Amino acid sequence: MSTTTTKDGRLNIRCDSRARQLLDKAAAYAQTSVSDFVLSHALASAEEVVQANESMTLTAMDFKAFLAALDGPVEPNAALARAFDRHAEQVRQ
């Protein structure tokens, strides 16, 4: 039994005739519609951008230092205490 996804969002873009011709040609080579071609390639690019901005890679030495910091004492410094105070004040408003 197959499942289908309902596409309920719409995205309209404008492009010049050269860009449209190129997209038409690429979609034809990929044997897909222009909409599916643009969507699949835009999603792949979006995933790369999101991953690049939401993840980090540490060296083995940095990872050990990170783990040590997590295991270390948890006494807040002055900046953290001020941040907690600001947060508490904003939440009350």
Side-chain angles (χ1 to χ4, degrees):
M1 185 179 223
S2 67
T3 59
T4 58
T5 302
T6 302
K7 296 178 182 177
D8 57 358
R10 179 173 285 281
L11 178 66
N12 296 308
I13 60 171
R14 294 191 169 278
C15 61
D16 60 28
S17 61
R18 184 185 179 310
R20 178 58 195 244
Q21 289 172 350
L22 184 59
L23 290 170
D24 287 339
K25 186 184 284 190
Y29 284 136
Q31 298 178 341
T32 188
S33 69
V34 174
S35 291
D36 286 343
F37 180 84
V38 170
L39 181 60
S40 67
H41 287 79
L43 287 173
S45 180
E47 286 175 1
E48 288 179 17
V49 170
V50 169
Q51 183 177 359
N53 286 278
E54 291 185 353
S55 65
M56 68 174 98
T57 304
L58 300 175
T59 64
M61 187 170 66
D62 289 340
F63 185 66
K64 286 180 182 179
F66 175 73
L67 291 179
L70 290 177
D71 291 336
V74 292
E75 297 194 22
N77 61 21
L80 182 59
R82 287 191 307 272
F84 273 107
D85 291 341
R86 280 194 315 272
H87 173 72
E89 182 63 32
Q90 290 173 353
V91 170
R92 277 182 263 169
Q93 293 179 358

